[in-house]
Amino acid sequence: MQYISTRGQAPALSFGEAMMTGLARDGGLYVPQTIPTFTPDEIAALAGLPYEEIAFRVMSPFMGDTFAEAEFRGLIARAYAGFGHAARAPLKQLGPNHFLLELFHGPTLAFKDFAMQLIGQMMQAALARTGERITIVGATSGDTGSAAIEAFKGLANVDVFILFPHGRVSEVQRRQMTTPAEGNVHALAMDGDFDDCQARVKDMFNDFAFRDGVRLAGVNSINWARVLAQVVYYFAGAVSLGAPHRKVSFTVPTGNFGDIFAGYIARKMGLPIDRLVIATNQNDILDRALRSGDYMTDGVKPSISPSMDIQVSSNFERALFDAYGRDGAAVAALMSELKSGGFHISQGALEALRAQFDSGRCSEEETRATIRTIAAATGEVLCPHSAVGVKVAEEHLGAAPMITLATAHPAKFPDAVEQATGHRPALPARMADLFARPERVTRVPNDLAAIQALIRARI
Ligand SMILES: *Cc1c(COP(=O)(O)O)cnc(C)c1O
């Protein structure tokens, strides 16, 4: 299995190489050259299996000979052992034909743990073979950073630097990044928004002297391994509602398009997904782009679902690559137009995207109202991101059962939840002392050279 860049100008890599590389050297994102498919019988055989076994079967065809079978099983087992629920991704019922896939039982209470815990294990295993040391740099709107820090803290051959937008993450998110005491963890509060943080990380990857000098590795959802780990829960959720014998729909609260792109891959692998619905908050560039054909950025508006406060949606590039018939030059041209504000999607590509994705948006007031009404009707307390998903899902209910992805635990966003319901959600017991731990954070300007100097000095 080979991986190719969405911009067509970088060398094809193996799974292991693509995982350690992150962003392709032509600025593109790695995607599998071909997508392995499962027969209906193979999908039916997943029903009732432990999450770890489903993960092994779904991911193995993408990985070539990166890991021996027994080794890979061990990595998966360790990745999910720290989750607070035996099912890993339990399914709850919200209404007659509407279900919630709870993806927030990992160590940092957001779905990012599914991929990050596994990447932590896989990178550690790959580095142990070569004795190499790497520098991980990531940008976060709050949850990727804490998940990465949790997965890499204390590892001998890794330094992890996380850029988060100063003042724009929730207090729980910030404390999860700033309280780990391990010396290889570096939380950097940057002046700017998430798009600025992500842009500086991409700049570091495009500065080859720096990239090679510090042996840069990336764990944002530009990293294919993250997308792949997320494909698993689409299979797990769908088979528990009767796939492949009946179709299932998914609604996904998304910002960077990583999570929903994993659903698109699951569908390409043969999982019978009826509708795949993009749910955005007031930063609704994806919804607008699908409706109008114009992908135009107009500045991030901070919301109560901050992990989706994004206008430059990295993984959308992977969907565009397929929609443009895998024409890397066409994608590279769009991405250079994006630097000056946006681009127009061709009619053919737009039709291809609309054939795969539905979309909707949810305002701030609708988000609060959804948290309130779902709590009253079902007892389920949603985080604001999951509420965005539920509201948009309710507008897309049909004959197939709908599964909305619940992307974070409500206690990660206690202010928004308390405002909506009048009750402050409690953190799970295992992190009850989060507010008592000392914080360690470095404030940095939105300045590439300054951030690079800091990283060089720290490693
Ligand atoms: C990251 C995140 C999202 C958005 O996921 P994408 O991969 O950017 O689509 C949604 N909800 C929560 C809680 C998140 O942490």
Side-chain angles (χ1 to χ4, degrees):
M1 166 73 65
Q2 290 281 297
Y3 289 82
I4 56 172
S5 166
T6 50
R7 300 195 194 172
Q9 296 294 318
L13 299 180
S14 69
F15 175 83
E17 290 166 334
M19 173 177 74
M20 299 309 286
T21 301
L23 195 67
R25 289 179 94 88
D26 58 4
L29 279 67
Y30 276 105
V31 290
Q33 195 151 31
T34 55
I35 305 287
T37 55
F38 282 24
T39 65
D41 284 348
E42 286 171 321
I43 296 170
L46 301 175
L49 295 179
Y51 188 86
E52 286 79 350
E53 179 63 24
I54 298 176
F56 177 79
R57 294 191 192 185
V58 168
M59 290 189 283
S60 291
F62 287 90
M63 302 189 47
D65 56 4
T66 309
F67 300 108
E69 198 178 306
E71 183 181 23
F72 187 40
R73 283 183 189 280
L75 300 178
I76 295 171
R78 282 197 290 285
Y80 299 121
F83 277 50
H85 197 298
R88 310 310 181 214
L91 203 56
K92 297 270 181 76
Q93 188 161 11
L94 292 182
N97 214 15
H98 190 183
F99 298 81
L100 194 71
L101 191 63
E102 290 186 348
L103 301 176
F104 52 70
H105 296 283
T108 70
L109 307 181
F111 82 88
K112 305 291 198 301
D113 289 321
F114 276 88
M116 210 64 82
Q117 285 292 317
L118 185 63
I119 285 207
Q121 294 293 333
M122 292 195 295
M123 282 194 175
Q124 200 183 344
L127 292 172
R129 285 186 204 153
T130 60
E132 203 186 334
R133 190 181 172 83
I134 57 169
T135 303
I136 289 175
V137 177
T140 186
S141 52
D143 295 324
T144 293
S146 49
I149 286 170
E150 197 59 36
F152 291 99
K153 68 183 187 189
L155 297 190
N157 36 14
V158 176
D159 271 296
V160 52
F161 292 84
I162 297 296
L163 285 170
F164 68 87
H166 177 71
R168 296 193 189 214
V169 299
S170 83
E171 186 168 3
V172 173
Q173 288 178 315
R174 190 191 72 234
R175 286 180 170 274
Q176 285 181 335
M177 294 188 276
T178 59
T179 58
E182 289 79 359
N184 72 327
V185 170
H186 312 272
L188 309 180
M190 199 181 96
D191 294 316
D193 60 27
F194 169 76
D195 288 338
D196 296 321
C197 295
Q198 180 162 259
R200 295 299 78 73
V201 169
K202 284 194 174 173
D203 290 345
M204 285 186 244
F205 274 93
N206 289 325
D207 176 345
F208 293 156
F210 178 79
R211 176 176 184 163
D212 297 337
V214 305
R215 307 202 71 93
L216 204 60
V219 293
N220 279 104
S221 54
I222 52 176
N223 193 314
W224 167 258
R226 267 191 65 189
V227 175
L228 178 58
Q230 294 171 194
V231 174
V232 175
Y233 48 69
Y234 286 88
F235 277 89
V239 294
S240 62
L241 286 183
H245 311 298
R246 66 171 176 173
K247 287 188 164 192
V248 175
S249 294
F250 285 91
T251 299
V252 187
T254 193
N256 223 354
F257 212 76
D259 209 4
I260 190 141
F261 190 75
Y264 166 84
I265 295 294
R267 178 192 265 158
K268 295 215 129 197
M269 292 173 71
L271 188 66
I273 297 178
D274 187 27
R275 311 183 86 172
L276 204 44
V277 185
I278 297 164
T280 74
N281 66 19
Q282 61 186 0
N283 295 290
D284 58 355
I285 186 164
L286 290 166
D287 182 45
R288 280 187 285 116
L290 279 182
R291 284 175 202 281
S292 69
D294 289 319
Y295 188 96
M296 290 293 162
T297 58
D298 65 354
V300 170
K301 294 193 273 300
S303 79
I304 57 171
S305 44
S307 305
M308 310 198 301
D309 288 349
I310 292 172
Q311 291 276 313
V312 181
S313 185
S314 285
N315 279 284
F316 194 52
E317 178 167 343
R318 288 186 162 115
L320 286 169
F321 183 58
D322 280 0
Y324 276 83
R326 301 207 134 197
D327 178 349
V331 173
L334 296 178
M335 293 303 134
S336 83
E337 283 181 58
L338 182 58
K339 289 203 179 106
S340 42
F343 53 81
H344 180 73
I345 303 170
S346 74
Q347 192 57 32
L350 187 60
E351 278 163 20
L353 288 167
R354 285 177 178 161
Q356 295 288 342
F357 302 104
D358 291 279
S359 68
R361 60 107 69 184
C362 180
S363 72
E364 295 289 272
E365 195 35 59
E366 289 166 333
T367 306
R368 281 186 283 265
T370 304
I371 296 173
R372 189 162 50 239
T373 54
I374 293 291
T378 70
E380 181 82 19
V381 180
L382 299 171
C383 92
H385 311 78
S386 311
V388 166
V390 165
K391 185 264 178 185
V392 173
E394 284 173 343
E395 296 164 353
H396 288 85
L397 295 177
M402 175 65 79
I403 298 177
T404 298
L405 304 193
T407 51
H409 191 288
K412 245 183 143 164
F413 304 93
D415 295 336
V417 173
E418 184 175 17
Q419 231 186 20
T421 64
H423 299 286
R424 200 165 179 83
L427 283 169
R430 63 184 190 279
M431 36 187 91
D433 68 337
L434 188 64
F435 285 79
R437 299 179 206 157
E439 292 191 77
R440 207 163 45 90
V441 59
T442 308
R443 183 87 177 263
V444 295
N446 181 6
D447 180 89
L448 179 63
I451 299 167
Q452 287 176 319
L454 180 140
I455 291 173
R456 281 208 188 85
R458 291 266 187 100
I459 60 176

